[in-house]
């Protein structure tokens, strides 16, 4: 699933994803200068402590591009706990942090109260909308399987009009 994952990150960066702490746009230069890598939004340790299955938390839905410094501030803590650490380490307020986090299509209402299931469903929906907008494909509602951690539904086959059909 590496290609689809990189594609989603490319779309997030194209749409203005920012570093959570500093608010700096994630660019190719920023990526290399600041050691940007893919990290868990709900940390692995926290997910394991909550008995969330690996197949659910170790997916694109629960990952995003973060600097190494931001990831260290998050550590293995719950989002409700790391929120204050991010604000104080960067000297920013709640509004700025929220703006930076939402640039990654992360639903704040679920994130800041540690509601992994609500977060997972809403971020899945938002990422599918992002993909749909980029590809021109209709977004699906409902789920029947997953691809790279994103719930998907098999789309109905398109009917192709006959070349002789009158419009």
């Amino acid at each position: 699933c590496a290609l689809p994952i990189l594609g989603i990150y490319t779309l997030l960066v194209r749409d203005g994803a920012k570093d959570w702490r500093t608010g700096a746009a994630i660019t190719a230069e920023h990526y290399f200068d600041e050691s940007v890598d893919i990290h868990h939004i709900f940390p692995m340790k926290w997910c394991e402590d909550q008995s969330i299955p690996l197949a659910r938390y170790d997916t694109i839905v629960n990952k995003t591009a973060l600097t190494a410094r931001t990831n260290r501030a998050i550590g293995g803590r719950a989002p409700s706990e790391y929120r204050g650490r991010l604000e104080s380490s960067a000297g920013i307020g709640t509004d700025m942090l929220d703006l930076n986090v939402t640039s990654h299509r992360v639903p704040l209402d679920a994130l800041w109260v540690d509601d992994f299931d609500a977060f997972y469903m809403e971020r899945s929906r938002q990422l599918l909308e992002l993909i749909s907008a980029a590809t021109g494909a209709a977004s699906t509602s409902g789920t029947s399987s997953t691809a790279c951690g994103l719930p998907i539904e098999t789309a109905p086959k398109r009917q192709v009009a006959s070349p002789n059909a009158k419009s």
Side-chain angles (χ1 to χ4, degrees):
C1 283
L3 249 28
I5 289 171
L6 293 177
I8 290 171
Y9 295 130
T10 300
L11 293 174
L12 289 169
V13 168
R14 178 202 69 185
D15 287 357
K18 301 175 182 177
D19 178 67
W20 288 16
R21 285 177 32 281
T22 66
I26 297 177
T27 63
E29 184 177 281
H30 186 251
Y31 183 88
F32 292 106
D33 289 348
E34 297 296 327
S35 300
V36 173
D37 202 357
I38 307 308
H39 298 287
H40 292 88
I41 297 168
F42 277 79
M44 291 174 59
K45 180 183 181 331
W46 184 87
C47 290
E48 290 166 356
D49 290 348
Q50 306 306 309
S51 300
I52 297 170
L54 175 71
R56 186 152 172 92
Y57 76 76
D58 198 28
T59 65
I60 182 67
V61 176
N62 188 37
K63 293 181 180 180
T64 201
L66 299 173
T67 64
R69 189 168 177 189
T70 298
N71 190 51
R72 281 192 303 273
I74 289 171
R77 297 168 193 83
S80 62
E81 294 175 31
Y82 70 63
R83 181 182 197 176
R85 289 180 60 88
L86 288 172
E87 291 171 358
S88 63
S89 73
I92 60 173
T94 300
D95 291 343
M96 182 58 69
L97 177 62
D98 287 353
L99 183 66
N100 297 343
V101 172
T102 57
S103 73
H104 291 251
R105 305 273 180 127
V106 173
L108 300 176
D109 292 344
L111 180 70
W112 298 139
V113 297
D114 307 331
D115 187 341
F116 182 85
D117 291 330
F119 156 84
Y120 191 91
M121 292 310 297
E122 179 57 21
R123 188 148 195 258
S124 295
R125 187 190 65 73
Q126 289 189 35
L127 292 177
L128 285 170
E129 284 181 2
L130 180 68
I131 294 165
S132 295
T135 63
S139 180
T140 60
S141 58
T143 61
S144 60
S145 61
T146 62
C148 295
L150 287 174
I152 60 168
E153 182 176 302
T154 305
K157 293 186 179 189
R158 294 183 187 188
Q159 296 208 354
V160 178
S162 164
N164 297 328
K166 294 182 181 179
S167 14

